């Protein structure tokens, strides 16, 4: 397998989504990775990844549920990835 040369949060697909979307990301070296979903108020609604990952390409599904397994409302959400010194945020739209 080809290892990524950059750490990167890629756009989710599909976007807009209902009821789920796939978030792709790559890690160039072993590091702690955190991927979280926030609402428009900046409140954390879901933690998708919070662990050390080795270099590689990854995908994770977001099912539109919060940390308490309740369905989130339609609207704008933000996906933030932090890995080492890298931090990036993408906007996502959930439509019902």
């Amino acid at each position: 397998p080809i290892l990524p040369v950059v750490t990167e949060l890629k756009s989710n697909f599909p976007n807009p989504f209902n009821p789920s979307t796939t978030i792709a990301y790559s890690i160039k070296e072993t590091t702690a990775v955190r991927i979280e979903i926030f609402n428009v108020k900046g409140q954390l609604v879901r933690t998708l990844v919070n662990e050390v990952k080795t270099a590689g390409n990854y995908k994770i599904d977001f099912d539109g549920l919060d940390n308490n397994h309740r369905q989130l409302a339609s609207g704008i959400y933000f996906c933030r990835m932090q890995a080492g010194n890298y931090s990036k945020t993408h906007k996502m739209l959930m439509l019902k």
Side-chain angles (χ1 to χ4, degrees):
I2 298 172
L3 294 177
V5 294
V6 296
T7 296
E8 178 183 24
L9 173 63
K10 299 173 179 142
S11 295
N12 61 302
F13 182 81
N15 191 20
F17 66 96
N18 177 22
S20 65
T21 188
T22 300
I23 299 165
Y25 61 101
S26 53
I27 306 296
K28 72 175 183 177
E29 59 192 17
T30 300
T31 189
V33 176
R34 196 168 171 91
I35 298 179
E36 300 167 311
I37 308 296
F38 295 87
N39 62 21
V40 292
K41 295 179 181 178
Q43 298 166 318
L44 175 66
V45 295
R46 180 82 180 266
T47 300
L48 296 176
V49 177
N50 187 19
E51 61 187 270
V52 173
K53 294 279 191 180
T54 58
N57 297 302
Y58 297 91
K59 291 182 181 177
I60 188 161
D61 290 323
F62 172 51
D63 55 9
L65 302 177
D66 68 10
N67 279 331
N68 296 315
H69 303 289
R70 294 181 302 226
Q71 184 65 49
L72 295 170
S74 292
I76 296 171
Y77 292 89
F78 297 94
C79 176
R80 182 179 69 190
M81 175 178 148
Q82 294 176 299
N85 293 329
Y86 177 88
S87 180
K88 178 96 180 222
T89 303
H90 278 292
K91 183 166 58 171
M92 307 186 304
L93 179 60
M94 182 191 297
L95 292 177
K96 291 190 179 181

